Amino acid sequence: MLAAARASPTALPLVTFSACRATLRSALLSGHPHRQLASPRGRTPPQPLALAMASAASAAAPAGPAKPREEPPGMQSEAALLEAFASLPALGKGWAAPAAGGHGVRVTLQLSQRNLPANSQRKYLTTFHLNEAVLEAGEVEPSPPLEQSGVLLYAPSPSGRRTLVVRAGSGESSVVLEVWDRCRLLKELHVPKALHGAVYNDGWFGMGAAWSPDETRIAYVAEAPAPARTPEWSAPAAGPDGKKPEGAAPKGWRGQGEWSEDWGELNTGKKPPTLFVLDTEDWAVQQVQGLPEDASCGQPVWSPQGDALLFVCWEHQSELASAHFPQRLGVVFCFNRPCSLQAVPWPQAGPAADGGARAVCLTRSLGSAFSPRFSPDGTSLVFLSQQNAISTGVHSATVTLHSLQWGDAAAALAGGMAPPPRTVMDTVWNPATAADFPGLYCAALPEQPFLPGGHTLLLTTQWRSLAAVVAVDVRSGQVTRATPANGASWSLLAMSNGWVLASESRPSQPFALFAAHIPASEQDAPAAAAWGWSALPLPDAEPAAYPAAVREALADVATTVLRVAPTTPPTNVGCEAVVLHSRSAPGPRPTIITPHGGPHTAYSAQFFMPLTYLVSLGYNVVLLNYRGSTGFGEASIQSLPGNIGTNDVADCVASLQAAVDAGLADPERVGVIGGSHGGFLTGHLAGQHPDRFKCAILRNPVCDISLMIHVSDIPDWCYAEAWGVEEARKRAGARPSHEDLQRFWDVSPIKHVGQVRVPMFFMLGAKDRRVPMDDAKQYINALRRRPDAPETRVIVFPEDSHALDKPQTEFEQWLNAAWWVKRFV
């Protein structure tokens, strides 16, 4: 997990060590450390000066205990460049609230930087005022950054007058709740563990907190208290008054108690999420009553009058989700888990068992409903649905948008029936052209998605190989692109009173801020001309403030999106490749192809630090959006289940050939890198096409589905992707048949392990529950058992899960990836 150790300064005379540091700094600032990497195949790159000096000093030093060698060797300049890239800030969330006097809005941005020594993300806030004068000047004056040290949740109220800050507790407290006014702390509350556990702010169960319309109550999501515990053993028994006798006594202890299921990957050991409300009038925290039993609850939002609390409910045992699986299945990135939109009256009379009201379901006709949002006038409730994923079993599909008239739906709280939701935006099966809208692909609506007119909703969605902000007319379902189709990916950050803030990202640009002010006359249904985006340079976050080597590297990165013709049926669905290449060195270069995971996700043409870093080292990088990727219509997604290991592999090869034909890839010098399902494809490419590649790097890969089915938190994925939708419905279950296991083997990379001839590098997370590392270890053992086995290397990160995204883990794996391709490509 830790980055490779550095040589001790005591191994060299001080002057020599300083000279080495100066040499490395010179190489970094020159901006050309990549010139050593892309050396002709078979030629040993020249030894870096610092390494040569260290070797000479070691030879002259007195003999002593042998020191462990440092790996990867000879990567000082690449490590320095990667460290410079890792220092770049990333833009997270944004909030906008009306400014004092009604002139413009006050914007708060949350940014982050990697803190490599602490192996964490350093998050911080900055604020600025946005109005017409700022747009005209094209310059903002942000506040000094305020680091959010120890903050688990930050939730400003819609007016911007109050803010909830949640920090981790200690001792008998699970969390500390802080409620701030604009200039002072109003109250600090320490929540006991007996009331609830840690807060959920994971972007799915919990997304910040929900303020009531009058901003006196705050609903949030936290772990439910443990339902049972063991007795306290060895300690003296409590008396009739419930108190223990005073004085000296043996120390008591409690056992583990019965094991309880959780939601799998990234939720290990967590109790189910449920709802709590903090009342700022009496400063009491209470657990919401009347919620469904044996269920998880999250994503709370208050009704327009504050007389009901709406939320999303996930049943733990749902026939719709796991009719043949007794266990609770993983939920992270698994949008095929059934969920419903429910509501409970407020204030509460008491527990349901004592006659209090129970929650009522508002979306019985749908198997999926999440991300509820109210229109500004409170008459309409909109939400998203992954009904396509529910009905087919794929883990992510085209999203649909629905609405309810709140006046009619609220009748359900009084014992009536909620009407069926109206579909605002339905599934797009197969867009006629690349310019046509392909359907919705998003995981949540913005906190405040509506323009003031109440009829236009904004959201960020995948649009083929780009991300875009679109405007949806909730009356007609008409969709228009609000951000320009300029080859960049756009993301909505915040909205308030007709002011819209968005970010633009490219592989050569981490982010750039833009703002638009929609005139009142256009807010009901803005025309395309209304979106006049103005750049808002953020001081010290612009390229001019980057390290010189990074600034030069980014300026040299160009992007080309290639449309790829599939070579296997069906050939009428979308397939694209995003090629990152050099502006200054046109033509073929050593190439790395990288298929994404999922498989039902997609690459966007936006900044992803490790891949831009590889381009700066002298490689062209081809991002593969094979058939089955999101953003291309539902027909593309549904074409892949039952064809994994075949169609997706063929698309990877066809995309590489398209890059070769476009003069953007050297067919003789190609490596492949992939994680999860991308690792599955990397293993397949190395086994099915061993002559096309020089090396392979696999990050938490799916290698053997016949093994994965028994250990993964998503066994349903194995059936859906290996067999296809219809056959999976018949077969899915906790006891796979011999025929199932044979099918899983046949579509897995391990079937082709005997044909692999390229050097293989595996990077594994020991806490991965999605594709536990035993899956890859079995493949590695089979590979190494061969007498002619290629060179194989493995790194295990003991504290990492499936994403391998801790800062030190990210640094070590991509530096090793650079070393691997430097050696073999």
Side-chain angles (χ1 to χ4, degrees):
M1 171 178 173
L2 298 177
R6 299 184 179 213
S8 170
T10 59
L12 294 174
L14 181 59
V15 64
T16 304
F17 183 72
S18 300
C20 292
R21 290 284 299 270
T23 301
L24 294 180
R25 183 173 296 277
S26 175
L28 173 60
L29 295 178
S30 71
H32 295 290
H34 59 278
R35 287 181 177 171
Q36 291 184 20
L37 270 168
S39 57
R41 183 161 47 96
R43 184 183 303 171
T44 302
Q47 189 179 39
L49 176 60
L51 186 60
M53 296 173 73
S55 300
S58 299
K67 295 183 177 180
R69 64 182 182 274
E70 294 192 345
E71 296 179 341
M75 297 292 290
Q76 290 89 341
S77 60
E78 293 88 350
L81 180 60
L82 181 56
E83 192 165 348
F85 265 101
S87 72
L88 299 184
L91 185 58
K93 298 184 66 176
W95 297 269
H103 301 293
V105 293
R106 189 172 66 256
V107 174
T108 301
L109 298 179
Q110 183 186 70
L111 298 97
S112 64
Q113 283 182 277
R114 298 167 180 85
N115 185 347
L116 284 170
N119 199 22
S120 63
Q121 294 284 348
R122 178 179 280 115
K123 295 183 179 181
Y124 55 97
L125 301 176
T126 186
T127 62
F128 59 86
H129 190 210
L130 177 60
N131 56 23
E132 292 290 355
V134 172
L135 286 187
E136 185 175 346
E139 185 176 347
V140 298
E141 295 184 7
S143 66
L146 175 64
E147 185 173 359
Q148 292 189 291
S149 179
V151 173
L152 304 177
L153 184 152
Y154 176 86
S157 66
S159 70
R161 295 188 179 94
R162 288 184 168 185
T163 302
L164 171 68
V165 175
V166 181
R167 303 180 190 272
S170 60
E172 293 302 312
S173 298
S174 59
V175 296
V176 178
L177 306 179
E178 300 173 356
V179 178
W180 292 80
D181 210 332
R182 280 174 288 191
C183 296
R184 67 189 182 101
L185 176 68
L186 294 178
K187 186 69 72 171
E188 177 181 286
L189 300 173
H190 293 248
V191 180
K193 293 178 180 177
L195 179 56
H196 69 64
V199 294
Y200 274 87
N201 192 30
D202 58 352
W204 184 238
F205 291 126
M207 302 179 181
W211 289 81
S212 62
D214 62 1
E215 299 189 355
T216 63
R217 297 184 302 279
I218 312 167
Y220 64 94
V221 186
E223 290 185 58
R229 63 180 183 176
T230 69
E232 187 177 16
W233 291 310
S234 300
D241 59 357
K243 298 181 179 179
K244 294 181 181 180
E246 297 182 358
K251 182 179 181 180
W253 60 280
R254 296 184 188 274
Q256 295 296 316
E258 183 183 10
W259 170 81
S260 58
E261 288 191 311
D262 54 38
W263 282 106
E265 173 74 9
L266 297 185
N267 288 286
T268 299
K270 291 184 179 180
K271 297 295 188 293
T274 193
L275 306 179
F276 295 85
V277 172
L278 165 61
D279 192 318
T280 64
E281 294 185 331
D282 60 9
W283 298 108
V285 176
Q286 68 178 93
Q287 184 173 352
V288 178
Q289 303 296 315
L291 305 182
E293 298 180 359
D294 198 23
S296 293
C297 301
Q299 300 186 20
V301 62
W302 292 95
S303 66
Q305 292 76 34
D307 56 356
L309 185 64
L310 284 71
F311 62 93
V312 178
C313 174
W314 294 263
E315 295 181 15
H316 292 167
Q317 295 296 327
S318 169
E319 288 295 310
L320 196 57
S322 52
H324 305 292
F325 292 101
Q327 72 269 40
R328 199 186 311 170
L329 304 178
V331 73
V332 174
F333 300 126
C334 300
F335 299 104
N336 61 330
R337 307 295 177 236
C339 54
S340 59
L341 189 57
Q342 303 201 16
V344 64
W346 201 270
Q348 296 197 303
D354 298 334
R358 292 186 178 274
V360 296
C361 182
L362 305 176
T363 56
R364 294 187 183 280
S365 61
L366 292 172
S368 170
F370 58 95
S371 196
R373 302 289 188 268
F374 280 98
S375 60
D377 62 5
T379 61
S380 180
L381 172 68
V382 297
F383 59 91
L384 300 174
S385 175
Q386 276 271 8
Q387 189 64 34
N388 287 310
I390 295 291
S391 61
T392 63
V394 301
H395 278 202
S396 183
T398 308
V399 176
T400 52
L401 178 67
H402 304 265
S403 71
L404 281 167
Q405 288 301 305
W406 178 240
D408 297 333
L413 293 169
M417 289 288 292
R422 179 177 68 89
T423 299
V424 175
M425 188 179 303
D426 211 342
T427 305
V428 175
W429 182 250
N430 197 4
T433 71
D436 290 339
F437 178 64
L440 278 183
Y441 301 92
C442 57
L445 294 172
E447 288 185 17
Q448 301 179 52
F450 282 94
L451 289 175
H455 300 300
T456 300
L457 176 150
L458 300 186
L459 54 83
T460 304
T461 183
Q462 183 84 23
W463 192 315
R464 298 181 76 88
S465 295
L466 298 172
V469 177
V470 298
V472 182
D473 188 319
V474 295
R475 297 164 297 186
S476 65
Q478 181 179 354
V479 180
T480 57
R481 200 167 190 154
T483 49
N486 60 352
S489 286
W490 289 73
S491 179
L492 182 65
L493 286 172
M495 289 200 307
S496 179
N497 288 354
W499 289 90
V500 185
L501 194 71
S503 67
E504 179 199 59
S505 178
R506 304 170 185 267
S508 59
Q509 172 185 283
F511 69 88
L513 283 179
F514 285 82
H517 185 205
I518 309 302
S521 60
E522 295 276 0
Q523 290 174 358
D524 190 55
W531 300 102
W533 295 98
S534 299
L536 294 178
L538 196 62
D540 301 324
E542 293 291 304
Y546 296 164
V550 172
R551 188 167 63 247
E552 182 179 342
L554 291 176
D556 191 50
V557 177
T559 305
T560 299
V561 178
L562 302 175
R563 293 178 191 165
V564 180
T567 58
T568 60
T571 59
N572 64 334
V573 296
C575 176
E576 289 183 347
V578 180
V579 185
L580 315 186
H581 54 98
S582 169
R583 295 182 187 275
S584 61
R589 296 203 302 175
T591 302
I592 299 166
I593 68 169
T594 173
H596 61 72
H600 306 300
T601 58
Y603 275 125
S604 293
Q606 61 188 20
F607 184 74
F608 180 46
M609 186 273 286
L611 300 185
T612 299
Y613 166 69
L614 292 177
V615 177
S616 74
L617 296 179
Y619 304 95
N620 287 355
V621 179
V622 184
L623 286 59
L624 309 175
N625 283 333
Y626 45 85
R627 285 169 294 173
S629 301
T630 53
F632 293 83
E634 188 66 11
S636 175
I637 292 173
Q638 297 300 333
S639 72
L640 185 56
N643 293 305
I644 60 169
T646 303
N647 281 5
D648 43 5
V649 174
D651 288 351
C652 292
V653 175
S655 297
L656 172 58
Q657 189 59 50
V660 170
D661 295 341
L664 296 173
D666 181 350
E668 300 300 319
R669 301 181 66 185
V670 182
V672 54
I673 301 176
S676 192
H677 190 83
F680 170 90
L681 290 172
T682 299
H684 267 298
L685 291 166
Q688 293 191 41
H689 301 275
D691 297 328
R692 297 294 299 263
F693 305 98
K694 299 303 179 186
C695 69
I697 299 170
L698 304 88
R699 304 168 57 251
N700 279 336
V702 176
C703 294
D704 183 357
I705 301 179
S706 67
L707 187 156
M708 177 183 167
I709 183 68
H710 298 291
V711 295
S712 174
D713 69 332
I714 52 167
D716 59 317
W717 179 94
C718 303
Y719 288 96
E721 299 300 338
W723 278 113
V725 171
E726 295 302 325
E727 195 65 22
R729 285 197 184 102
K730 306 172 188 175
R731 294 177 171 275
R735 295 180 60 187
S737 67
H738 293 296
E739 190 177 9
D740 292 330
L741 295 176
Q742 185 62 53
R743 175 64 180 173
F744 296 154
W745 171 276
D746 287 340
V747 301
S748 295
I750 198 167
K751 179 179 181 179
H752 308 283
V753 70
Q755 287 73 53
V756 173
R757 295 196 291 272
V758 301
M760 305 283 278
F761 201 145
F762 293 81
M763 301 174 181
L764 311 175
K767 293 187 176 181
D768 185 357
R769 292 182 63 186
R770 183 70 19 117
V771 188
M773 60 183 288
D774 283 346
D775 184 286
K777 286 169 64 179
Q778 177 69 14
Y779 182 97
I780 294 165
N781 291 339
L783 187 63
R784 286 177 167 172
R785 228 179 272 130
R786 286 172 36 195
D788 60 343
E791 182 175 349
T792 305
R793 186 175 178 85
V794 182
I795 295 180
V796 175
F797 298 97
E799 297 300 320
D800 275 79
S801 54
H802 192 58
L804 296 177
D805 57 359
K806 294 182 184 296
Q808 289 180 357
T809 300
E810 178 193 49
F811 185 94
E812 184 175 357
Q813 67 181 303
W814 289 105
L815 184 62
N816 273 276
W819 175 62
W820 202 248
V821 296
K822 177 181 180 178
R823 290 181 61 198
F824 298 112
V825 175

